[in-house]
Amino acid sequence: MITNMKSQYRVVSDDKLATLKKRENNLFQQRTPKSKETFERAQKMLLNGVPMPWMGDWGTSHPLFVEKASGNRVTDIDNNEYLDFCLGDTGAMFGHSPEPTAVAVAEQVRNGITTMLPTERALWIGSELSRRFGLPFWQVAMTATEANRYVIRTCRALTKRPKVLVMNECYHGSLDESLPHIGPDGKIELRTDYDSNPGIAKNALTRVVEFNDLASLERELAFKDVACVLAEPIMTNCGMVLPEPGYHEKLRELCTRYGSFLVIDETHTFSTGPGGYTAAFGLKPDFITLGKSIAGGIPVAVYGFTSKIAEKINSTFGRKSVSDPMGIGGTLSGNAFAIRAMEATLKEVATSEAFERMIAGQNRLSDGLEAVLKKHAIPWSVTRSGARCEMQFMPQLPVNGSEAKAHFDWELMYYTHLYLANRGVLITPFHNMMLVPPMATDVDIDRIVQLWDDCMAELVTPAHIQGLVCNSDRCPKASN
Ligand SMILES: Cc1ncc(COP(=O)(O)O)c(C=O)c1O
């Protein structure tokens, strides 16, 4: 991870930030001695003290080790309680261990976890996903990464084209195809944090364009070697980048014109509403992929596609032996336990009412954050969509991944995260995303807003702000 990036809108001097960071690091160590000691012991048997790399990437001197998580509360092993706006980076978007999911899986776990045979409940899942997302045929995978991999493979097989087109600074899981980005010289290359890693295949199979850049999209699709465009409807992994008006219509049109499938990854943007961004904004993708929260945090992912694609799969590969020739694996995928978790979550947890509460909560949060920025005259912005919002260290909303990335500031960001954590609030590491679950109360939301306010009041140096002029015509104009 590149940690030396610095936003030009930093609002604090380096010295002051260093002093505050030192204080917060000390406080963190005092508050979390058991996590610290556990992390030290873990170095002997877990690589870098954690079971998977991201768990160690929160910008804190050691990770919090979790005792339990329920609803929108996480308790660490030092018995500190946190209000959670990270929610497992969307995995627990509807709150931790939602009761209906917990009850259903507890029953299922005693009635067969995996048999490599379908359960009847899978039919309801297929119809419910069709009802919500508008695509008629569905398959189940284990993770969103896997769903994307299977869809890419299918698109290549059906189009006989090798390449995948992705948006610059996207993230769709650890797929080799989606890791390359546009380098500083305009060439496609691996991101600098990956480029020395020979374990990741380089750019041969990827075309990359900026989000919202239709001219480049058309130029690249015109090579007619792109099996599919894989895109989030809103970029959510480099800060948040919203589509410009008409972008999605044109994206659809260009994919059709040049014979590439359009794959919309709703893994994060499911937070827009019960049928994701696709249903909320009437998108017409060929495929949808979706993972993380669909089964309340139990590892399940799904992918859906059109009837035409279903027919093409069967006419290409033969109905009886779809899985083998297509290279679609996953012994445990679609097992009884996973299906049961998804059924309970879709029926009783990820309901329209839950989304209404989440979206209302997000609007309260975003309004509060915008008021904080205004109060302290800070030239940053808040991007919002559905149940998620993002504090971005730039005055205007970014139009693409490069612009969002240019204003990243790991040091500043991790300072704010640490400040919040020391006062009992968690937000998503790697960027400033805050997700509002259905059980977050106004008091919970006002608490995080107050903490941002307190953090900014202490952090910001007014003299510093005066020099931060935004030259973009997309910057909000000062109101008198
Ligand atoms: C948009 C998107 N797609 C796919 C993935 C991959 O999800 P997973 O790591 O659960 O496979 C992510 C992970 O953050 C994501 O943000």
Side-chain angles (χ1 to χ4, degrees):
M1 183 179 298
I2 309 301
T3 51
N4 59 354
M5 294 158 80
K6 193 166 158 181
S7 168
Q8 74 188 96
Y9 299 101
R10 197 177 232 215
V11 306
V12 59
S13 71
D14 295 355
D15 288 351
K16 185 169 174 189
L17 184 58
T19 308
L20 290 171
K21 209 168 111 184
K22 203 166 162 197
R23 182 194 71 194
E24 291 301 318
N25 273 329
N26 288 338
L27 183 56
F28 186 75
Q29 307 256 337
Q30 283 162 28
R31 280 171 49 86
T32 59
K34 269 197 183 172
S35 278
K36 182 169 189 276
E37 184 270 328
T38 306
F39 184 55
E40 279 157 13
R41 271 193 294 129
Q43 304 296 325
K44 295 201 181 77
M45 70 297 276
L46 300 174
L47 183 67
N48 299 319
V50 280
M52 64 87 65
W54 282 349
M55 291 182 179
D57 269 353
W58 283 65
T60 46
S61 47
H62 53 266
L64 296 172
F65 280 75
V66 172
E67 180 67 34
K68 62 175 190 226
S70 174
N72 66 337
R73 300 290 201 275
V74 173
T75 308
D76 70 16
I77 59 173
D78 288 285
N79 210 25
N80 297 304
E81 190 181 84
Y82 301 86
L83 266 176
D84 191 6
F85 291 91
C86 165
L87 300 165
D89 192 14
T90 312
M93 177 166 82
F94 304 105
H96 296 284
S97 299
E99 186 62 15
T101 313
V103 169
V105 298
E107 190 187 289
Q108 187 62 47
V109 87
R110 300 208 169 274
N111 285 316
I113 296 170
T114 191
T115 56
M116 225 171 79
L117 284 168
T119 56
E120 203 178 345
R121 295 175 197 279
L123 279 68
W124 183 86
I125 299 291
S127 332
E128 176 63 5
L129 292 170
S130 300
R131 186 186 72 77
R132 288 183 180 227
F133 291 92
L135 288 176
F137 285 95
W138 291 85
Q139 291 284 274
V140 180
M142 191 72 78
T143 65
T145 305
E146 215 180 56
N148 283 328
R149 181 179 302 123
Y150 297 153
V151 166
I152 288 175
R153 193 161 282 178
T154 306
C155 292
R156 284 195 179 122
L158 298 185
T159 59
K160 301 190 174 51
R161 293 176 173 189
K163 297 213 178 191
V164 175
L165 186 146
V166 296
M167 304 298 158
N168 196 33
E169 299 301 328
C170 68
Y171 188 73
H172 295 283
S174 54
L175 301 167
D176 288 354
E177 288 88 345
S178 67
L179 296 176
H181 293 253
I182 301 174
D185 57 359
K187 290 211 183 99
I188 312 295
E189 53 191 41
L190 282 177
R191 272 190 353 221
T192 29
D193 33 353
Y194 296 132
D195 66 0
S196 59
N197 180 351
I200 299 173
K202 298 252 170 181
N203 58 29
L205 295 172
T206 308
R207 292 191 179 277
V208 188
V209 299
E210 293 287 5
F211 196 66
N212 282 323
D213 179 353
L214 290 163
S216 299
L217 177 69
E218 177 154 19
R219 186 192 65 225
E220 296 298 314
L221 289 180
F223 286 100
K224 294 202 174 170
D225 59 1
V226 172
C228 64
V229 171
L230 172 60
E232 286 190 277
I234 295 173
M235 295 189 81
T236 66
N237 283 295
C238 54
M240 263 163 75
V241 183
L242 304 179
E244 292 188 324
Y247 178 71
H248 277 295
E249 289 77 0
K250 200 74 191 158
L251 170 62
R252 173 66 274 178
E253 193 189 312
L254 290 173
C255 284
T256 307
R257 188 183 311 160
Y258 292 101
S260 305
F261 286 119
L262 175 59
V263 183
I264 291 292
D265 182 342
E266 289 270 15
T267 299
H268 278 179
T269 48
F270 185 28
S271 61
T272 313
Y277 192 94
T278 297
F281 290 87
L283 305 193
K284 300 267 176 264
D286 298 301
F287 291 84
I288 286 174
T289 57
L290 165 61
K292 293 202 182 184
S293 62
I294 186 92
I298 305 253
V300 183
V302 293
Y303 55 103
F305 40 90
T306 61
S307 302
K308 221 167 133 188
I309 290 170
E311 278 162 27
K312 209 167 172 195
I313 291 172
N314 283 339
S315 62
T316 309
F317 293 102
R319 180 177 288 273
K320 283 260 156 64
S321 53
V322 168
S323 55
D324 239 356
M326 286 182 69
I328 297 200
T331 314
L332 300 184
S333 293
N335 69 51
F337 182 78
I339 295 286
R340 190 73 191 266
M342 190 157 38
E343 181 196 50
T345 305
L346 288 173
K347 270 190 182 155
E348 298 179 65
V349 180
T351 58
S352 302
E353 298 73 44
F355 276 102
E356 273 167 31
R357 285 198 298 280
M358 292 158 74
I359 293 165
Q362 177 279 121
N363 281 325
R364 185 181 182 92
L365 172 55
S366 295
D367 289 347
L369 296 176
E370 280 174 357
V372 168
L373 295 181
K374 195 163 181 199
K375 175 176 166 188
H376 299 287
I378 298 171
W380 300 347
S381 50
V382 179
T383 311
R384 52 172 100 186
S385 176
R388 69 181 60 231
C389 65
E390 177 100 23
M391 177 77 92
Q392 311 212 138
F393 299 139
M394 56 194 293
Q396 73 278 21
L397 300 184
V399 282
N400 57 41
S402 289
E403 197 176 277
K405 191 177 171 190
H407 296 87
F408 252 55
D409 193 322
W410 292 99
E411 198 186 3
L412 178 60
M413 184 181 78
Y414 278 140
Y415 169 74
T416 58
H417 293 199
L418 180 61
Y419 183 97
L420 295 172
N422 276 336
R423 290 151 187 85
V425 169
L426 298 178
I427 72 171
T428 314
F430 324 127
H431 49 107
N432 277 325
M433 196 274 286
M434 288 155 275
L435 194 52
V436 181
M439 68 286 298
T441 62
D442 287 354
V443 174
D444 295 339
I445 293 165
D446 295 347
R447 170 88 185 127
I448 184 172
V449 171
Q450 184 61 55
L451 286 177
W452 272 104
D453 190 356
D454 298 346
C455 180
M456 295 300 111
E458 185 185 45
L459 181 82
V460 166
T461 319
H464 233 84
I465 293 179
Q466 279 162 25
L468 303 178
V469 179
C470 178
N471 295 320
S472 167
D473 56 8
R474 287 181 288 107
C475 283
K477 297 289 164 261
S479 55
N480 298 318

